[in-house]
């Protein structure tokens, strides 16, 4: 995350969207396997407990393309999600800064992240996650969905507009918590490094992002599991999703898919923030030249 107060909102939006697309596509097989593990097992066909086996099994039986089922929905969602998330975070962060020092306290960092997560959930994350999850679930069962557009049409036909917002509560809780932890932790680390005169390089950006991703995963996994159950092909309410996890696995079930999600977020956090810093460095001079 750039700390340059002169970074224009449009640059934050474009850089965040581009970073989200890069991160979403490059780490999608991890997301695919995590989602498969969290969904309810089909009778007689138990899902392997080890998410890495899911990747191998799907690759062997269905090929590489199957591992990217629903990827376009996630990438489109990531462009919108991370564009909105970085834009809203940068905007909120500027209003939260101390007038004299120009810095944020750890609590204000987390609060700014939480607010931007709610905004992203409303305008981008919930509907795109719903389509992505439904596509992954449908591919292993009924196979009614042939594309993103056809899936959206069918969901709208069967459940109406609110069908695209299945799992809104779980998604918003996850996004609020995840963005607070990810953005907040990343900026706290950068502020700390500035006080120690630690150079901000690609490596430090990647490490900071990976640490932020790890903390995010461990603290928000239950919300992610509930969200996935809500957004299956048939859909479920938050209460139904919660009860189904307890019935299937007990309390430990809320951390189902943690290994795979952790594997993804360690890399995705590093990739996301590194790509964002790169894109800001590329876009900002072009934007200033065109405006001036």
């Amino acid at each position: 995350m750039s700390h340059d107060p002169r970074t224009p909102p449009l640059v934050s939006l474009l850089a965040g969207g581009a970073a989200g697309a890069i991160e979403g596509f490059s780490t999608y097989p991890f997301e695919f396997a995590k989602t498969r593990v969290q969904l309810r097992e089909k009778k007689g066909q138990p899902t392997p407990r080890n998410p890495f086996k899911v990747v191998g099994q799907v690759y062997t039986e269905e090929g590489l393309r199957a591992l990217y089922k629903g990827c376009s929905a996630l990438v489109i969602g990531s462009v919108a999600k991370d564009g909105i998330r970085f834009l809203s975070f940068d905007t909120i962060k500027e209003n939260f800064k101390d007038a004299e020092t120009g810095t944020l306290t750890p609590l204000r960092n987390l609060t700014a992240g939480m607010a931007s997560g709610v905004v992203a959930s409303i305008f981008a994350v919930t509907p795109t996650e719903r389509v992505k999850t439904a596509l992954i679930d449908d591919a292993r069962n009924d196979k009614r969905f042939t594309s993103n557009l056809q899936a959206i049409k069918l969901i709208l036909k069967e459940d109406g507009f609110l069908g695209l917002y299945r799992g809104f509560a779980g998604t918003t809780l996850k996004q609020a918590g995840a963005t607070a932890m990810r953005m907040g932790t990343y900026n706290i680390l950068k502020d700390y490094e500035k006080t120690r005169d630690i150079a901000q390089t690609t490596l430090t950006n990647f490490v900071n992002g990976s640490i932020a991703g790890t903390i995010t995963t461990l603290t928000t996994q239950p919300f992610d599991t509930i969200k996935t159950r809500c957004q299956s092909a048939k859909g479920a309410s938050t209460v139904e999703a919660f009860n189904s996890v307890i019935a299937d696995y007990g309390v430990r079930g809320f951390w189902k898919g943690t290994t795979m999600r952790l594997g993804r977020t360690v890399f995705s956090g590093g990739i996301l923030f590194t790509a964002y810093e790169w894109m800001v460095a590329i876009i900002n001079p072009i934007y200033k030249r065109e405006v001036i």
Side-chain angles (χ1 to χ4, degrees), residues 115-186:
S116 62
V118 173
V119 173
S121 177
I122 294 171
F123 292 102
V125 182
T126 300
T128 54
E129 282 285 312
R130 164 67 162 134
V131 175
K132 179 216 71 176
T133 304
L135 282 166
I136 292 174
D137 188 29
D138 180 73
R140 67 181 189 140
N141 293 309
D142 301 327
K143 295 180 172 62
R144 297 190 304 154
F145 300 152
T146 57
S147 67
N148 290 331
L149 184 59
Q150 188 265 342
I152 292 171
K153 288 181 178 178
L154 192 54
I155 290 171
L156 289 173
K157 180 181 178 181
E158 295 180 348
D159 300 316
F161 180 74
L162 291 180
L164 291 173
Y165 277 82
R166 285 276 193 181
F168 175 71
T171 303
T172 302
L173 286 170
K174 176 203 167 187
Q175 285 300 312
T179 309
M181 291 297 174
R182 177 173 280 194
M183 299 291 205
T185 300
Y186 183 82

Side-chain angles (χ1 to χ4, degrees), residues 29-51:
F30 290 99
E31 176 67 17
F32 176 92
K34 182 270 300 180
T35 302
R36 273 273 182 105
V37 167
Q38 289 176 333
L39 289 163
R40 301 202 80 166
E41 295 176 355
K42 190 175 180 180
K43 289 185 178 180
Q45 297 180 23
T47 302
R49 290 183 178 276
N50 184 343

Side-chain angles (χ1 to χ4, degrees), residues 29-252:
F30 290 99
E31 176 67 17
F32 176 92
K34 182 270 300 180
T35 302
R36 273 273 182 105
V37 167
Q38 289 176 333
L39 289 163
R40 301 202 80 166
E41 295 176 355
K42 190 175 180 180
K43 289 185 178 180
Q45 297 180 23
T47 302
R49 290 183 178 276
N50 184 343
F52 291 97
K53 288 185 179 180
V54 177
V55 174
Q57 181 178 302
V58 172
Y59 176 76
T60 301
E61 297 177 1
E62 304 174 49
L64 179 62
R65 288 184 64 182
L67 287 173
Y68 277 85
K69 187 74 172 179
C71 180
S72 58
L74 180 128
V75 170
I76 292 169
S78 293
V79 171
K81 173 190 72 178
D82 288 309
I84 292 171
R85 191 161 62 174
F86 276 96
L87 171 61
S88 58
F89 182 81
D90 278 348
T91 302
I92 295 167
K93 180 185 69 176
E94 288 302 313
N95 292 319
F96 280 14
K97 277 184 176 180
D98 182 274
E100 294 183 2
T101 64
T103 60
L104 281 78
T105 64
L107 180 59
R108 288 189 176 189
N109 260 312
L110 295 175
T111 303
M114 186 177 297
S116 62
V118 173
V119 173
S121 177
I122 294 171
F123 292 102
V125 182
T126 300
T128 54
E129 282 285 312
R130 164 67 162 134
V131 175
K132 179 216 71 176
T133 304
L135 282 166
I136 292 174
D137 188 29
D138 180 73
R140 67 181 189 140
N141 293 309
D142 301 327
K143 295 180 172 62
R144 297 190 304 154
F145 300 152
T146 57
S147 67
N148 290 331
L149 184 59
Q150 188 265 342
I152 292 171
K153 288 181 178 178
L154 192 54
I155 290 171
L156 289 173
K157 180 181 178 181
E158 295 180 348
D159 300 316
F161 180 74
L162 291 180
L164 291 173
Y165 277 82
R166 285 276 193 181
F168 175 71
T171 303
T172 302
L173 286 170
K174 176 203 167 187
Q175 285 300 312
T179 309
M181 291 297 174
R182 177 173 280 194
M183 299 291 205
T185 300
Y186 183 82
N187 279 271
I188 289 168
L189 289 171
K190 286 182 75 71
D191 286 342
Y192 173 80
E193 289 163 357
K194 279 191 170 184
T195 64
R196 297 293 187 276
D197 293 325
I198 297 174
Q200 297 299 296
T201 64
T202 296
L203 178 60
T204 56
N205 289 333
F206 191 92
V207 171
N208 289 344
S210 296
I211 293 172
T214 300
I215 293 172
T216 299
T217 298
L218 297 177
T219 55
T220 64
Q221 186 65 21
F223 300 133
D224 188 68
T225 301
I226 292 173
K227 172 197 73 69
T228 298
R229 288 288 180 97
C230 288
Q231 296 177 332
S232 62
K234 294 182 179 179
S237 69
T238 301
V239 173
E240 289 170 342
F242 180 92
N243 290 336
S244 72
V245 174
I246 293 292
D248 289 347
Y249 305 111
V251 175
R252 292 178 63 184

